[in-house]
Amino acid sequence: MLPTIKWKKDHIVMIDQRKLPEEEVYVECRDHIQVAEAIEKMVIRGAPAIGVAAAFGVALGILKIEDDKHVEEEYSRIIQRLERTRPTARNLFWALERMRKIFEENRGLALSRLKQSIIKEAVNIEREDIETNRKIGHWGKSLLQDGDSVLTHCNTGALATAGYGTALGVIRAAFQEGKRISVYADETRPLLQGARLTCWELEKEKIPVTLITDNMAGYLMQKGMISTVVVGADRIARNGDTANKIGTYTVAVLAKEHGLPFYVAVPTQTIDVTLAEGSEIPVEERSAQEVREFGGRCVTLPRVNVENPAFDITPAAYITAIITEKGVCRPPYEKSLKELFKRKKRMKKDSV
Amino acid sequence: MLPTIKWKKDHIVMIDQRKLPEEEVYVECRDHIQVAEAIEKMVIRGAPAIGVAAAFGVALGILKIEDDKHVEEEYSRIIQRLERTRPTARNLFWALERMRKIFEENRGLALSRLKQSIIKEAVNIEREDIETNRKIGHWGKSLLQDGDSVLTHCNTGALATAGYGTALGVIRAAFQEGKRISVYADETRPLLQGARLTCWELEKEKIPVTLITDNMAGYLMQKGMISTVVVGADRIARNGDTANKIGTYTVAVLAKEHGLPFYVAVPTQTIDVTLAEGSEIPVEERSAQEVREFGGRCVTLPRVNVENPAFDITPAAYITAIITEKGVCRPPYEKSLKELFKRKKRMKKDSV
């Protein structure tokens, strides 16, 4: 398992994902501001990993509070700072809501006990994430067949989560039960998470991987070289519309055109029940420099006009199934996602 | 007009397109081997420009022949070397066929006179190319409306031709007659001709341009930000199936999905009447390093497996119209392209 992020009593350590695969450098964060900046600069990225990092950020934040007079206001400010880091991934807000709730539940405790409960919740979020990913893999692996050639976009592996991965977790689980799976990895411009992170992870796992530029997937599908698509997501609306890394929608259109299944693998925390449809999901626009540069070097005119949406929205109609830790949802998602949350509550009582 | 390639009595000069826009460096070629290598290494690229370069290469080759004993064999070897440079662009073979024909027609002349006729033909090919592009622009500009937001892929401008451009020529012509046209330029991985060359050309012409990564076009179409697509081509089969820079097929699928017109702008020399359909067009596979690296820097694992087809095939069914110097062809192309060649012969007699 790759060490994406680890809690170390009074600080956290995360691998600097901007520098992979060239260098394996670890970054320490000692307060919530450093964590917020690490999320903004994409030292750590991937919706579930952002959620875990934010929870740890809150824990580091409360550790610094020494006077218990204004704990509530200070705690709120910590959470607000972390909320402002990136707007699209639901997991960030989901984790911060849990951290807010645990505070509410324990506000009567002495400060040192309160700190302990906050830290425990953050560590729980990390542990649960790995467990959740394994369950996503369990449900998803039956959708992949022996001999499948799977296209994936961006990075959805151990690095995008606390460990194991969502879409890559499905691929990993199918591979581990002996299915011969090979992967095409979109390089995923502008930040090249596919080229840099997905290839690195798959090679470590000895899962066969072929790197392509984002504009090659259509041609490979036309030639029959891709049989299935599996991607992750940053936020899913009630109707199944899915925000994921820019380029996902194009892959979904191509999959439809070639009659290929298009699967989305996510923890249920990614589903935003407050949003009716994808048009309500905020899409982050990032710095123009990310597009103007390639591997840190300017490849165009230094001031050329640029669009840089970090995500796009894939309408539910393009999605064959949504794989979660609670099972596989099929269209219509309005209904199947709702049932998932009912099931979740029931399962809590009955145990899984 | 940009100086893509120029004949200079005993050598040619071309701008090194690999170094743009960072540096404007000019390269001299003094024999056909140097020209062949410049084409292979993509110092010069773009189907019509490759044709012009190859014709000049033949001219440089025959200039070196001093003994008239084995002129025919040597001339054949020169042409064969240039034919081996790149397999997909029809224009290369079209230009070399013209150079072969002019030799046949003048083989009875003394060597010095023969050399003159060969040089003249190469210069004619260059001059005709600019004229042809202007005519493509003339026919194509009426397809663009005031206020259009045009997506283009790769570079099809002055740099891809002897001057003016094919798809960019259409955009230029519409802009010059006062239509408010803005352009989205796909960066066009792996070699970034869109980011490096198209943005550079459009900025020089003061045509508004916005650079995007290849995986953003779908999202912009979904948001209604693109109204039309115009691309060039490297080879077109009799039925209209079109080989062009990798990623073109994906753009065509996206255009169809969003109900947008998808135009291909080419000189008729790009049409290969010997091929019934696109599956017969040879697609060049280039070095894996182009995908693994940029600017000499590896952005992934150094030995990761890679696919690198330089072109893809867009089936005729996705193409709204093919714009040529002889007029605009509409489906069914089997019929309209055939009529084009009849018209060509008639026009030669009647004058245009």
Side-chain angles (χ1 to χ4, degrees), chain A residues 187 189 195 257 295 300 318, chain B residues 187 189 195 257 297 300 318:
Chain A
E187 67 175 5
R189 276 282 284 154
E257 190 73 6
T300 183
Y318 294 88
Chain B
E187 67 175 5
R189 276 281 285 153
E257 190 73 6
R297 185 174 158 193
T300 183
Y318 294 88

Side-chain angles (χ1 to χ4, degrees), chain A residues 51-66:
Chain A
V52 172
F56 282 148
V58 174
L60 290 177
I62 197 167
L63 269 185
K64 297 273 170 190
I65 300 176
E66 285 171 4

Side-chain angles (χ1 to χ4, degrees), chain A residues 16-162:
Chain A
D16 190 340
Q17 300 197 24
R18 300 168 305 176
K19 303 205 168 141
L20 287 171
E22 247 181 317
E23 294 173 75
E24 293 187 27
V25 176
Y26 291 84
V27 169
E28 285 182 10
C29 295
R30 300 194 163 267
D31 59 38
H32 74 280
I33 305 282
Q34 289 178 349
V35 175
E37 288 171 356
I39 294 170
E40 284 164 349
K41 292 177 185 163
M42 295 177 71
V43 174
I44 191 163
R45 30 63 54 200
I50 291 172
V52 172
F56 282 148
V58 174
L60 290 177
I62 197 167
L63 269 185
K64 297 273 170 190
I65 300 176
E66 285 171 4
D67 180 354
D68 60 4
K69 264 186 203 152
H70 305 288
V71 179
E72 191 160 354
E73 295 88 322
E74 289 187 51
Y75 195 79
S76 255
R77 267 197 295 274
I78 291 163
I79 287 187
Q80 284 161 15
R81 174 68 188 90
L82 287 157
E83 279 174 343
R84 282 198 307 273
T85 50
R86 298 193 67 196
T88 304
R90 170 67 192 142
N91 315 60
L92 172 73
F93 304 98
W94 170 88
L96 292 172
E97 279 159 23
R98 272 186 64 166
M99 298 309 286
R100 206 185 286 275
K101 202 169 158 219
I102 196 78
F103 183 91
E104 301 295 330
E105 288 170 7
N106 294 278
R107 63 199 300 176
L109 299 178
L111 182 55
S112 65
R113 295 284 303 279
L114 179 60
K115 286 179 179 179
Q116 278 171 22
S117 64
I118 297 293
I119 292 168
K120 194 178 160 206
E121 183 72 351
V123 172
N124 281 346
I125 286 175
E126 185 217 1
R127 284 192 192 142
E128 287 169 26
D129 188 60
I130 297 179
E131 194 48 39
T132 296
N133 287 335
R134 289 193 181 279
K135 286 181 189 161
I136 293 169
H138 167 76
W139 292 111
K141 68 184 178 185
S142 63
L143 298 173
L144 299 187
Q145 315 302 320
D146 186 43
D148 261 349
S149 171
V150 182
L151 175 69
T152 191
H153 190 71
C154 197
N155 172 266
T156 58
L159 290 166
T161 61

